Protein backbone atom coordinates (compact mmCIF):
# COMPACT_ATOMS: atom_id res chain seq x y z
CA UNK A 1 0.00 0.00 0.00
CA UNK A 2 1.54 3.35 -0.98
CA UNK A 3 2.36 5.85 1.71
CA UNK A 4 0.07 8.84 1.83
CA UNK A 5 1.41 12.27 2.82
CA UNK A 6 0.05 14.02 5.86
CA UNK A 7 -1.68 16.72 3.83
CA UNK A 8 -3.30 14.30 1.34
CA UNK A 9 -6.19 13.33 3.64
CA UNK A 10 -7.76 14.43 6.89
CA UNK A 11 -10.35 13.26 9.39
CA UNK A 12 -13.60 15.22 9.22
CA UNK A 13 -16.11 15.19 12.07
CA UNK A 14 -19.71 15.08 10.82
CA UNK A 15 -21.15 16.31 14.13
CA UNK A 16 -23.00 19.23 12.50
CA UNK A 17 -24.71 16.96 9.99
CA UNK A 18 -25.68 14.38 12.60
CA UNK A 19 -27.06 17.01 14.96
CA UNK A 20 -29.09 18.56 12.12
CA UNK A 21 -30.51 15.16 11.11
CA UNK A 22 -31.62 14.56 14.67
CA UNK A 23 -32.92 18.04 15.38
CA UNK A 24 -30.54 18.33 18.32
CA UNK A 25 -28.53 21.34 19.43
CA UNK A 26 -24.91 21.36 20.53
CA UNK A 27 -26.14 22.49 23.96
CA UNK A 28 -28.43 19.46 24.29
CA UNK A 29 -25.63 17.12 23.21
CA UNK A 30 -23.32 18.77 25.73
CA UNK A 31 -25.84 18.25 28.53
CA UNK A 32 -26.52 14.63 27.60
CA UNK A 33 -22.88 13.62 27.07
CA UNK A 34 -21.27 15.67 29.85
CA UNK A 35 -18.76 17.42 27.59
CA UNK A 36 -18.45 21.19 27.44
CA UNK A 37 -19.89 23.08 24.50
CA UNK A 38 -16.41 24.49 23.88
CA UNK A 39 -14.90 21.01 23.53
CA UNK A 40 -17.73 19.82 21.28
CA UNK A 41 -17.26 22.93 19.16
CA UNK A 42 -13.56 22.13 18.74
CA UNK A 43 -14.53 18.64 17.62
CA UNK A 44 -17.30 19.90 15.34
CA UNK A 45 -14.98 22.36 13.60
CA UNK A 46 -12.28 19.74 12.86
CA UNK A 47 -9.80 21.33 15.27
CA UNK A 48 -9.57 18.43 17.74
CA UNK A 49 -6.29 16.54 17.89
CA UNK A 50 -7.62 13.65 19.99
CA UNK A 51 -10.77 12.28 21.64
CA UNK A 52 -11.16 9.88 24.55
CA UNK A 53 -12.83 6.60 23.72
CA UNK A 54 -15.31 7.15 26.55
CA UNK A 55 -16.29 10.53 25.08
CA UNK A 56 -16.55 9.04 21.60
CA UNK A 57 -18.74 6.21 22.87
CA UNK A 58 -20.98 8.63 24.78
CA UNK A 59 -21.45 10.86 21.71
CA UNK A 60 -22.25 7.86 19.54
CA UNK A 61 -24.72 6.54 22.15
CA UNK A 62 -26.59 9.85 22.34
CA UNK A 63 -26.61 10.32 18.56
CA UNK A 64 -27.40 6.63 17.97
CA UNK A 65 -24.62 6.34 15.42
CA UNK A 66 -21.44 4.41 14.71
CA UNK A 67 -17.96 5.92 14.82
CA UNK A 68 -17.76 5.68 11.01
CA UNK A 69 -20.85 7.88 10.73
CA UNK A 70 -19.34 10.51 13.01
CA UNK A 71 -15.86 10.56 11.46
CA UNK A 72 -14.93 10.24 7.79
CA UNK A 73 -11.62 10.59 5.99
CA UNK A 74 -11.66 13.19 3.21
CA UNK A 75 -9.08 14.02 0.56
CA UNK A 76 -7.07 17.21 0.82
CA UNK A 77 -6.29 19.38 3.80
CA UNK A 78 -8.71 20.47 6.51
CA UNK A 79 -10.34 23.84 5.90
CA UNK A 80 -8.40 26.79 7.26
CA UNK A 81 -9.70 28.02 10.61
CA UNK A 82 -12.04 30.96 10.39
CA UNK A 83 -11.02 34.24 11.92
CA UNK A 84 -12.09 34.40 15.54
CA UNK A 85 -14.55 37.01 16.60
CA UNK A 86 -13.21 38.57 19.71
CA UNK A 87 -12.56 41.82 21.37
CA UNK A 88 -11.30 44.61 19.24
CA UNK A 89 -8.20 46.51 20.16
CA UNK A 90 -8.86 50.02 21.43
Amino acid sequence: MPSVGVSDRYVHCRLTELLDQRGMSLTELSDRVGVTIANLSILKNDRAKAIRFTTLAAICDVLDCEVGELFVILPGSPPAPRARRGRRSP
Side-chain angles (χ1 to χ4, degrees):
M1 183 171 182
S3 176
V4 176
V6 173
S7 64
D8 292 343
R9 302 183 335 156
Y10 72 100
V11 176
H12 168 65
C13 180
R14 297 186 61 249
L15 190 54
T16 300
E17 295 95 319
L18 294 174
L19 288 171
D20 288 346
Q21 289 171 2
R22 287 151 178 78
M24 187 182 298
S25 70
L26 201 61
T27 302
E28 181 180 349
L29 181 64
S30 171
D31 291 342
R32 292 179 62 182
V33 173
V35 175
T36 66
I37 293 172
N39 283 336
L40 288 175
S41 181
I42 288 168
L43 186 64
K44 178 178 85 114
N45 292 310
D46 292 335
R47 294 192 319 263
K49 300 294 181 197
I51 184 171
R52 290 183 179 169
F53 287 140
T54 54
T55 301
L56 181 57
I59 291 171
C60 288
D61 284 347
V62 170
L63 295 177
D64 190 29
C65 71
E66 296 293 324
V67 174
E69 295 173 85
L70 181 60
F71 292 106
V72 294
I73 297 176
L74 297 178
S77 300
R82 294 188 300 180
R84 294 178 61 180
R85 287 187 242 167
R87 296 184 211 163
R88 295 182 186 175
S89 299

